[in-house]
Amino acid sequence: QVQLVESGGGSVQPGESLRLSCAATGFPLDVYTVGWFRQAPGKEEEGVACFSPAIIGTYYPDSVKGRFSVSGDNARNTVYLQMNELTPDDTAVYFCAAARDRYYCSGAVFGVRYDHRSQGTQVTVST
């Protein structure tokens, strides 16, 4: 079965960290471009990280730059999103998506067509 399975969400306090995992089954994630997205209630979907393993590229928008980082584990066919120094503004449903083409990571990559998408996981940051 071809799918992306996401895990690692939860509730934390401001300043704490979480790591999300995006595991692929049925296809090799290391030749895809992976995007991490989030959507908060009443807000538009926002791309927060891009990971292109084939060309070793990453991209983060200013809203998360310096706090979020993305990495991959080819042996586990998994991509991770490490989120540090979380704030209430980071509260959202997070999901990962994989595009079959190899893109150079930039802001434009969040608008390309993605072939697979995870189910999403809730991240809540509050006191």
Side-chain angles (χ1 to χ4, degrees):
Q1 186 176 4
V2 176
Q3 61 179 350
L4 287 172
V5 178
E6 187 181 357
S7 60
S11 296
V12 296
Q13 295 188 343
E16 295 185 338
S17 300
L18 277 175
R19 189 179 78 160
L20 305 182
S21 299
C22 175
T25 58
F27 66 98
L29 203 52
D30 62 344
V31 297
Y32 280 61
T33 301
V34 177
W36 283 95
F37 299 81
R38 67 185 181 187
Q39 185 156 27
K43 294 186 178 180
E44 292 187 356
E45 182 179 287
E46 176 188 14
V48 295
C50 169
F51 182 55
S52 188
I55 59 176
I56 316 177
T58 60
Y59 171 82
Y60 310 93
D62 289 344
S63 59
V64 305
K65 191 178 296 182
R67 302 187 298 119
F68 288 16
S69 63
V70 62
S71 61
D73 183 336
N74 291 342
R76 297 181 183 273
N77 208 25
T78 299
V79 172
Y80 303 97
L81 180 68
Q82 178 67 42
M83 306 184 294
N84 299 326
E85 300 175 31
L86 287 163
T87 75
D89 287 342
D90 296 315
T91 296
V93 174
Y94 285 72
F95 63 94
C96 59
R100 188 174 292 113
D101 293 325
R102 301 178 185 183
Y103 293 97
Y104 175 75
C105 281
S106 68
V109 79
F110 298 126
V112 304
R113 177 182 177 276
Y114 286 84
D115 300 280
H116 310 288
R117 176 169 162 157
S118 70
Q119 77 280 16
T121 189
Q122 178 69 44
V123 171
T124 301
V125 185
S126 65
T127 57

